[in-house]
Amino acid sequence: MNPNETTLAKQYITNVQLDLSVAAYTKVPTTWRSHNYTPDFNKLYFIMEGEGYLEVGGQRFSPCPGDLYLLPTGTVQSYGTVNQNTFGKYWCHFRAKIGHVDLFQFLSTSTFIHIQKPEWLKQKFEDLIYWHHQESLTSQMHLHSTFLEIIAFFMEQCETVKINSKTTDSLKRINNVLLYIEEHLSDKLSLTELAQVAHFHPNYLIRIFKNATGLSPIHYINRMRIEKAQQMLRFTNWNIMSISDSLGMDIAYFSRMFKEYTGFPPTEYRELFVEDNKPPLSVQARIDEDIFHTGTTSL
C-alpha cells in the first residue's frame, strides 16, 4: 500500500465493530468434519495438539501445533480429522464489520501464521473465553480489548496484508475527497461538490465516507477545521474573527462548534496555553522590568 492508502486503511479499520458469538477450547472428536460450506462469519483456530486438515478457498492445509488460522467469512471451507490423534484447539466465531463490509473482505491476509512461543497467545485465548462468559459491567470492554489484541497480533505476523482489490477504487476516491477537503478547508464545501470529486452519488458517498473515517462528511470537515483552529489559537496571534473567517465559518457557528468539540470557548482555549507557556514568575519579573526600562527584553 502507498502512504495515502495506508493512512486511509488505518482510519478505516479503527472503526471495526466486533461481535464474538462463541469462544472455547475443544479436543475435537473423530467425527469432526464438514465439506464445502461457506460460513457467514469468521473463524480463528489456534492449534495446540493433534492432526487434521483444513481447506480454505480450494487450498488444503495440514495445521501443526502453534499454527493460528483465519478462516474468513464468505470463503468455501472444508475440515476434518485424519486419525485418532485429533486437533486440540482454541477457536472462536466472530464478525468484524466496518459499516456493511467485513474486515477480512476489506483486507486480504495470510491464511495462517506459525507461533514459535505460543504461551502469550494461549493466555489471550483463555482471557477471551473467560470474559466471554462474564456478565459484569466491564466484561465487554475486556472482551473487545483482548480480541483486538489477538487480531492485531495475527495481522502483524502475516507475511502480507493488503487492501482487497475490490475496495481499492472506493478508497482511492475517498482519499481524493479527503485531499480536496484539506485543500479547500476555507471554502463553503457542499455534499454535491464532494460527490462530484469522488464520482459517487451523494447518498452513497455519505455511507462510504463514514465507513472510511467514522464520520459523516460535514462532521469530518468541522473536525478538521476545529483542529486547524486549535493550532492557530496556540501558535498565532490571530483574533477569533480572523480565524473563523480563514476557515470559512461564521463566528457564532465557529464558536459553538469549537466549544462542542473541545469543551472550551476559543478565547478560554487560547488562555489555557498562554498560562502553560508563561515563564516562571522570577523570570517574568525580570522580563517585565526590562520592558519597563528599555522597551525590549534582554532575553
Side-chain angles (χ1 to χ4, degrees), residues 141-159:
M141 297 173 70
H142 286 290
L143 180 72
H144 283 204
S145 174
T146 302
F147 197 32
L148 282 171
E149 283 191 84
I150 292 172
I151 293 175
F153 176 79
F154 175 82
M155 291 173 61
E156 289 166 354
Q157 299 302 312
C158 284
E159 290 185 3

Side-chain angles (χ1 to χ4, degrees), residues 37-60:
Y37 83 109
T38 306
D40 63 351
F41 50 83
N42 303 292
K43 297 186 286 185
L44 285 177
Y45 288 171
F46 182 33
I47 309 300
M48 302 304 295
E49 61 174 315
E51 298 176 89
Y53 72 88
L54 298 173
E55 290 184 5
V56 184
Q59 187 173 2
R60 188 180 178 97

